[in-house]
Amino acid sequence: MNQQHSSEINWEKLNQVFQIFKKFKMKIILIDNQALHLWQKLIGKVSIGMKSNKRCLILCSRKVSFALLDKDWDANSIKVYSQLSKQNIPFLVDSGDDPRITHWSLIGDRIVYHLWIRPNNNVWIQITILYKRGNGKYLWYGPIKSPLALSKLSRNISIDQFGDFEGIYDMFTTIEVAVDGFRVNIPTNVNNFARQVASRYVACNMSRAMAFFKNYGKDLSPQAKRFRSTAENLLTKAKNVLDALKIPFWISSGTCLGWFRQCDVIPYSGDVDIGIMADDFKTDLIDAMKRVGFSLKFIFGKPNDSYELSFIYQQIKLDIFFFYKEKSYYWNGGTQAKTGLKFKYLFPKFTLCLTEFLNLKIRVPCNTQVYIEANYGIGWFTPVKTWDWKKSPPNVIENGQWDRQEWSKVIQIYN
């Protein structure tokens, strides 16, 4: 069988599947990074959209990933299964627990993470179901749960884009294009879409949060509700500024503890804490924060040593801690204003993952428990309302004292 004939057979088999989705008016989205890159490379150079050619240059590789939105899938999944079975097209449903339910230790229906379709021995189609999160701002997808089951159908399938971890995309728009003679949707901004795959997603553990609230109660007072609302507004504004400046950040200290322990802020903390690598500092950060309504409270240290910024927004403090990289650990600094004494907080090296917090897509240290235990010790689960930032953290060490002649620059306090 020559290569052209083989390509035509693959096209016909793929067409069977596409006709099923077309029949039910389902919006199928090409999300495979390699296929999208190839489409960008070939567009305008070859006739990749001519149906009559039946030239399968992009979509007939060994495995191509598409997506469906949850609403589209839920309305038509049973009909899709029926049509695939009627046409004797092998498929595998890769499902798992809905983390929004199981993290609360409740019993709920399992949801479909991925649908694997094999039109013939040479072509696999992966359909990833995207679920809306964060009040519709983001799209979540589940991990591949059964690689062993998949290997029974094909030992050579590639799952590089979607592995054993969850993921999240910003909500994106699509445009309809012709690829290999098929009408498919692709992200409007392909390059921005492709960049998002690089970060892992971790969800807060709501079972742990439920245990925490069972033991210690949940503060539902008007003051606590007001703090949560203001903290969300504050973090949203800060994120907008930092994203615009292309400064990566993560929730740190008490804010990170609240996310990890109770999937919430800690109302009595009275502030929001974030971390930034010192290498990512930009000089226009302070002015950019002021322009959106933040008041500067203090500047401690200098960008290359123990730098810390503090702002006020609607009576809540935002602390920005800058982290420094050493060979075997990271650290951030602290300064006592009245004495000029310096302190250093040591953390094991960490990488960053994405999570959802206060309806925002936010970074956290991937191995969050190690990060939390460094800062709060093994008793982090128990609330502590009396905290001395110079003595209480188990990872704090003294780090000398600022030269008196530098105080005007390294200790700047504003009204």
Side-chain angles (χ1 to χ4, degrees):
M1 183 183 299
N2 62 41
Q3 187 173 357
Q4 181 178 350
H5 185 54
S6 175
S7 178
E8 289 181 3
I9 291 176
N10 289 341
W11 190 96
E12 293 288 0
K13 294 290 186 182
L14 196 60
N15 187 47
Q16 281 185 268
V17 176
F18 274 93
Q19 289 303 313
I20 293 173
F21 293 112
K22 183 179 180 180
K23 178 177 182 178
F24 302 120
K25 299 179 180 180
M26 301 173 75
K27 182 179 176 180
I28 189 162
I29 308 166
L30 179 63
I31 59 171
D32 190 288
N33 284 345
Q34 291 183 348
L36 288 169
H37 176 71
L38 185 56
W39 179 82
Q40 286 182 309
K41 185 177 179 181
L42 294 179
I43 188 70
K45 296 182 180 180
V46 295
S47 298
I48 60 173
M50 294 296 293
K51 180 175 180 180
S52 58
N53 290 337
K54 297 184 179 180
R55 298 178 65 191
C56 219
L57 301 177
I58 297 176
L59 301 182
C60 292
S61 61
R62 303 189 81 143
K63 189 274 298 180
V64 181
S65 298
F66 296 89
L68 289 168
L69 296 180
D70 52 355
K71 185 177 180 180
D72 215 0
W73 174 251
D74 291 341
N76 297 287
S77 58
I78 301 302
K79 292 180 283 189
V80 169
Y81 296 151
S82 176
Q83 287 296 313
L84 290 171
S85 299
K86 281 183 181 179
Q87 298 183 38
N88 295 316
I89 300 174
F91 67 94
L92 173 68
V93 180
D94 196 357
S95 60
D97 296 321
D98 185 341
R100 292 168 294 184
I101 296 175
T102 55
H103 284 175
W104 285 105
S105 298
L106 301 174
I107 298 174
D109 294 335
R110 290 167 68 85
I111 59 174
V112 174
Y113 293 166
H114 308 274
L115 174 68
W116 299 86
I117 305 171
R118 188 178 64 175
N120 64 25
N121 289 332
N122 298 319
V123 179
W124 273 94
I125 299 173
Q126 176 188 8
I127 307 291
T128 296
I129 314 302
L130 301 178
Y131 294 89
K132 287 186 180 180
R133 292 286 183 83
N135 288 340
K137 297 178 184 176
Y138 311 109
L139 295 168
W140 174 90
Y141 61 85
I144 294 175
K145 297 292 288 184
S146 53
L148 292 178
L150 291 172
S151 67
K152 293 178 182 178
L153 297 177
S154 173
R155 294 182 180 180
N156 298 317
I157 197 163
S158 169
I159 56 173
D160 51 343
Q161 188 170 334
F162 302 93
D164 358 341
F165 50 85
E166 304 169 53
I168 193 168
Y169 290 118
D170 290 323
M171 181 64 73
F172 57 91
T173 59
T174 62
I175 55 172
E176 189 180 74
V177 298
V179 182
D180 291 344
F182 302 106
R183 303 302 300 183
V184 299
N185 290 272
I186 65 170
T188 305
N189 189 331
V190 170
N191 293 331
N192 183 60
F193 176 84
R195 280 194 293 268
Q196 296 186 67
V197 181
S199 298
R200 287 186 57 183
Y201 175 89
V202 292
C204 71
N205 188 322
M206 291 185 179
S207 293
R208 180 165 51 230
M210 196 173 183
F212 176 83
F213 292 131
K214 183 178 179 180
N215 285 336
Y216 302 105
K218 184 170 185 176
D219 190 347
L220 298 175
S221 66
Q223 295 84 353
K225 291 179 180 178
R226 188 162 50 250
F227 177 78
R228 288 186 188 93
S229 176
T230 307
E232 180 175 343
N233 293 336
L234 178 155
L235 200 53
T236 300
K237 281 186 173 289
K239 175 177 165 58
N240 290 340
V241 170
L242 293 166
D243 287 352
L245 293 173
K246 294 182 168 52
I247 299 177
F249 73 97
W250 65 95
I251 50 174
S252 188
S253 302
T255 306
C256 186
L257 173 62
W259 170 82
F260 184 71
R261 184 176 67 187
Q262 56 213 67
C263 297
D264 197 3
V265 294
I266 301 176
Y268 60 78
S269 68
D271 63 10
V272 173
D273 306 305
I274 64 174
I276 295 174
M277 286 298 176
D279 293 343
D280 293 320
F281 171 70
K282 293 182 179 177
T283 54
D284 47 355
L285 171 59
I286 293 175
D287 287 340
M289 295 291 284
K290 288 180 177 179
R291 282 195 294 271
V292 297
F294 286 87
S295 301
L296 184 61
K297 183 176 176 64
F298 64 70
I299 302 174
F300 289 159
K302 43 191 175 182
N304 65 350
D305 184 7
S306 305
Y307 203 47
E308 180 184 351
L309 299 175
S310 185
F311 296 89
I312 296 293
Y313 179 79
Q314 294 183 1
Q315 300 182 322
I316 292 183
K317 187 158 65 84
L318 170 67
D319 287 325
I320 304 179
F321 302 104
F322 289 83
F323 282 64
Y324 301 84
K325 299 178 181 179
E326 303 293 348
K327 187 174 181 179
S328 59
Y329 63 93
Y330 296 158
W331 64 277
N332 75 281
T335 296
Q336 187 177 36
K338 63 181 180 180
T339 65
L341 289 174
K342 299 169 65 179
F343 300 87
K344 182 185 282 190
Y345 303 84
L346 310 181
F347 292 84
K349 296 174 75 171
F350 55 87
T351 56
L352 297 176
C353 287
L354 293 173
T355 193
E356 184 187 345
F357 181 61
L358 297 179
N359 294 312
L360 295 170
K361 188 174 74 171
I362 293 288
R363 296 179 189 87
V364 293
C366 294
N367 195 339
T368 318
Q369 185 163 340
V370 171
Y371 185 87
I372 292 296
E373 287 183 354
N375 212 184
Y376 295 97
I378 60 174
W380 54 265
F381 191 77
T382 304
V384 176
K385 296 188 177 182
T386 303
W387 186 261
D388 185 337
W389 61 270
K390 305 179 298 300
K391 298 178 181 179
S392 299
N395 61 337
V396 64
I397 59 173
E398 294 182 1
N399 192 32
Q401 187 176 25
W402 291 107
D403 189 304
R404 187 83 189 192
Q405 294 180 342
E406 290 189 286
W407 280 26
S408 63
K409 293 181 179 179
V410 299
I411 304 174
Q412 301 181 55
I413 301 175
Y414 300 85
N415 293 330

